[in-house]
Amino acid sequence: MTDSPMTAPSAPSASAGEVLSGYLTTQAGAFLRALPQAVGEAGSRPGSLPASAAGADDLLRAVRRIGGALHTFGAAFEPGWTGELRTELAWLLDLLGREPGYRRRSSRLLAALDSLSDTGSESPGMLAGHAGAPKARALLERQLTLARTRTHTALLQELRTARLHALADRMTLLSGEVPLLDEVAGRGGGALVQHAAGALGALAAAAERLPLARAAEPYGGDGLHRLAVLPAARSASPSDADALLAADDEPWHRVRVLAKRARYALEVCGVPTAELDRLDAVLDRHRDASDAAATASTAARTPRITPATAYVLGVVHADQRLEVEAARYAFGHQWPKLPHHGWHEWATV
Amino acid sequence: MTDSPMTAPSAPSASAGEVLSGYLTTQAGAFLRALPQAVGEAGSRPGSLPASAAGADDLLRAVRRIGGALHTFGAAFEPGWTGELRTELAWLLDLLGREPGYRRRSSRLLAALDSLSDTGSESPGMLAGHAGAPKARALLERQLTLARTRTHTALLQELRTARLHALADRMTLLSGEVPLLDEVAGRGGGALVQHAAGALGALAAAAERLPLARAAEPYGGDGLHRLAVLPAARSASPSDADALLAADDEPWHRVRVLAKRARYALEVCGVPTAELDRLDAVLDRHRDASDAAATASTAARTPRITPATAYVLGVVHADQRLEVEAARYAFGHQWPKLPHHGWHEWATV
């Protein structure tokens, strides 16, 4: 499964309305195909198909793209319709994102633990043979499996509610006809580029506000020793390290959302997105490491764990915060090389 | 206190013997001046001077330089004399180095803990407000103070033994006359350069055997996840992480010794050492972080500590191993820029 655009390249002569309709009907179709796989047929009859993670992932991808297009090209649609649909898509996006989040945390943390405690003579880790490593692994696996199972059950329940059926009905309508405003729909496809440039501009503005200078040098150690003095971090209690870390990461998570939105906007316009794909991958890595670090920190507060287990979780927490640092460093080196300084001029094409 | 050469620049026309004698008599004089300050007059009478850490540091510096000169320019001296004196200097070097080692570990670990648990709103750390931080700090401080006190007492006892008095007598003789072999002493000062080039060549050979490619990219994470597959590491049990880390660090510690030796050799020849000083500083940082990490790991095995304390020690351990990585990265970027590829030609001057 790749993240390449699922739309056919639009003809150069296509109108803005034709391009948007083509994109949205394609994505709505993907939504409707993925939905039954995501819901499964559990409980209906013996031999019924189980709810599939791949189906939920496909559903998530379609929801992200439709939501992104409605946001970036909102001026092309009837405002009331867009607002309602975006609310419902945001609700589903949140629901769908939870289980994959636990899946990623689980695979990342268990892989880190296995690597750190590897006793292979070729490349042993710094926790090789440590008594706390298998205990910490079992603890993390148990807690994450439980969280994942709960989330999965909650998702399946929501996917069978009237709210989801109403959203599916909207997608059926969208796959047939997109309610475009005439004054936009009739314009050339170039009109869309202005909106996409707006999405790129929002990304650029947010990225430039990141503390990139702090991430420019490797091993600044700031992620461990000195958190950013961002306004977002100031509201957190100075004695709650988890809240401070979350506040420190928040502007980066925000840039991640804007990068995805810009990527989908370029997809709509049929513009290559390879550079934004790479940026998005780095920001995904940042988010995953941040989530994994928080999970290790939370697990270390489990009552009655042994000191050895807690020690290993401390190493894992620091290791994942180091990954956060590394992702910021990678972002800081990719970002200035992107042609984003031309994005504002691009908007005037 | 700076680490600049303490010898007067030798005249260009000085013979090899004059240069070596000048350097060694100066260093032997420094040894003899520092010794009473290092020993103190404790127990002799009220108001007597205490043993001073600065005195011990000065003593250490003189011992290092004399030992280095005897090693690098060994061919200029009567072999039996050199061998005996180097054995005694190595014994004293080991004794003198222990207390400063604990001092450095203590200041490094407590500073790391204070920074990691800082709740200042300007730059809080990732352990801000963590319940385990003050406990871990108290534990490390208690253990390191105890180790330092024991080492100090042992050093003072050794500094009053007959063995030390015999060594001081040798230094008194050395400050008067250096027992040089005639065939070397009479040659031009340029003859010394060949020996210094040998020291630089030994450094270059050992540095090139380091896994520099692994340290070339920042955040390789190898120091935490995958230790080097050096022959030195293979002899350690694959289930003893501390032994593996020590074996992983050993080749770097060896290069540190060779860098110091090369630095002192250039000092003897009156050649500027700024580049080797910087290299030496990076390797000192590597050694200090390696020692500090091992101390945190050992402290985490203290019986009956709380999980919160152990967790914080795990973070500190990983943090210091990250410093080890950072020092290797810094070395890997300094080393190729040094003009060491010309050192072998330099030997033929």
Side-chain angles (χ1 to χ4, degrees), chain A residues 110 113 133-143:
Chain A
L110 299 184
L113 256 172
K135 285 181 186 167
R137 195 188 196 284
L139 177 69
L140 287 171
E141 196 166 22
R142 193 168 62 243
Q143 293 186 343

Short mmCIF file of all heavy atoms in Angstrom, two decimals, chain A residues 110 113 133-143:
data_model
loop_
_atom_site.label_atom_id
_atom_site.label_comp_id
_atom_site.label_asym_id
_atom_site.label_seq_id
_atom_site.Cartn_x
_atom_site.Cartn_y
_atom_site.Cartn_z
N LEU A 110 8.53 -1.93 21.02
CA LEU A 110 9.04 -3.29 21.15
C LEU A 110 10.30 -3.46 20.29
O LEU A 110 11.26 -4.11 20.71
CB LEU A 110 7.96 -4.31 20.76
CG LEU A 110 6.69 -4.26 21.64
CD1 LEU A 110 5.72 -5.37 21.25
CD2 LEU A 110 7.02 -4.33 23.12
N LEU A 113 13.10 -1.83 22.24
CA LEU A 113 13.52 -2.68 23.36
C LEU A 113 14.32 -3.89 22.88
O LEU A 113 15.33 -4.26 23.48
CB LEU A 113 12.29 -3.15 24.14
CG LEU A 113 12.08 -2.44 25.46
CD1 LEU A 113 10.75 -2.83 26.07
CD2 LEU A 113 13.21 -2.76 26.43
N ALA A 133 14.77 -5.74 30.98
CA ALA A 133 14.33 -5.62 29.59
C ALA A 133 13.12 -6.50 29.26
O ALA A 133 12.12 -6.00 28.73
CB ALA A 133 15.49 -5.86 28.64
N PRO A 134 13.17 -7.83 29.57
CA PRO A 134 11.98 -8.63 29.25
C PRO A 134 10.75 -8.20 30.04
O PRO A 134 9.64 -8.25 29.52
CB PRO A 134 12.40 -10.06 29.63
CG PRO A 134 13.75 -9.98 30.24
CD PRO A 134 14.29 -8.61 30.07
N LYS A 135 10.96 -7.73 31.27
CA LYS A 135 9.82 -7.28 32.08
C LYS A 135 9.21 -6.02 31.48
O LYS A 135 7.98 -5.88 31.40
CB LYS A 135 10.28 -6.99 33.52
CG LYS A 135 10.53 -8.24 34.33
CD LYS A 135 10.95 -7.86 35.75
CE LYS A 135 11.36 -9.08 36.56
NZ LYS A 135 12.04 -8.69 37.80
N ALA A 136 10.06 -5.09 31.08
CA ALA A 136 9.55 -3.85 30.49
C ALA A 136 8.84 -4.15 29.18
O ALA A 136 7.80 -3.56 28.86
CB ALA A 136 10.71 -2.88 30.25
N ARG A 137 9.39 -5.11 28.43
CA ARG A 137 8.77 -5.47 27.16
C ARG A 137 7.37 -6.04 27.39
O ARG A 137 6.41 -5.66 26.72
CB ARG A 137 9.64 -6.52 26.46
CG ARG A 137 9.31 -6.70 24.99
CD ARG A 137 10.06 -7.88 24.40
NE ARG A 137 10.04 -7.83 22.95
CZ ARG A 137 8.99 -8.15 22.21
NH1 ARG A 137 7.85 -8.50 22.79
NH2 ARG A 137 9.05 -8.08 20.89
N ALA A 138 7.28 -6.96 28.36
CA ALA A 138 5.98 -7.59 28.65
C ALA A 138 4.98 -6.54 29.13
O ALA A 138 3.81 -6.56 28.74
CB ALA A 138 6.17 -8.68 29.70
N LEU A 139 5.45 -5.61 29.97
CA LEU A 139 4.57 -4.56 30.49
C LEU A 139 4.02 -3.69 29.37
O LEU A 139 2.81 -3.44 29.27
CB LEU A 139 5.35 -3.70 31.50
CG LEU A 139 4.61 -2.50 32.09
CD1 LEU A 139 3.50 -2.96 33.03
CD2 LEU A 139 5.58 -1.59 32.85
N LEU A 140 4.91 -3.23 28.49
CA LEU A 140 4.49 -2.37 27.37
C LEU A 140 3.55 -3.13 26.44
O LEU A 140 2.54 -2.59 26.00
CB LEU A 140 5.72 -1.88 26.60
CG LEU A 140 6.56 -0.82 27.29
CD1 LEU A 140 7.85 -0.58 26.52
CD2 LEU A 140 5.78 0.50 27.41
N GLU A 141 3.89 -4.38 26.16
CA GLU A 141 3.07 -5.16 25.24
C GLU A 141 1.66 -5.35 25.82
O GLU A 141 0.67 -5.17 25.11
CB GLU A 141 3.73 -6.52 24.97
CG GLU A 141 3.16 -7.22 23.76
CD GLU A 141 4.03 -8.37 23.30
OE1 GLU A 141 4.82 -8.91 24.11
OE2 GLU A 141 3.92 -8.74 22.11
N ARG A 142 1.61 -5.65 27.11
CA ARG A 142 0.31 -5.88 27.75
C ARG A 142 -0.52 -4.60 27.72
O ARG A 142 -1.69 -4.60 27.33
CB ARG A 142 0.54 -6.33 29.20
CG ARG A 142 -0.68 -6.89 29.89
CD ARG A 142 -0.30 -7.59 31.19
NE ARG A 142 0.30 -6.70 32.16
CZ ARG A 142 1.56 -6.81 32.63
NH1 ARG A 142 2.34 -7.78 32.21
NH2 ARG A 142 2.03 -5.97 33.52
N GLN A 143 0.09 -3.47 28.12
CA GLN A 143 -0.67 -2.22 28.19
C GLN A 143 -1.12 -1.76 26.80
O GLN A 143 -2.24 -1.27 26.63
CB GLN A 143 0.18 -1.14 28.87
CG GLN A 143 0.43 -1.45 30.35
CD GLN A 143 1.13 -0.33 31.08
OE1 GLN A 143 1.73 0.55 30.46
NE2 GLN A 143 1.09 -0.35 32.40
#
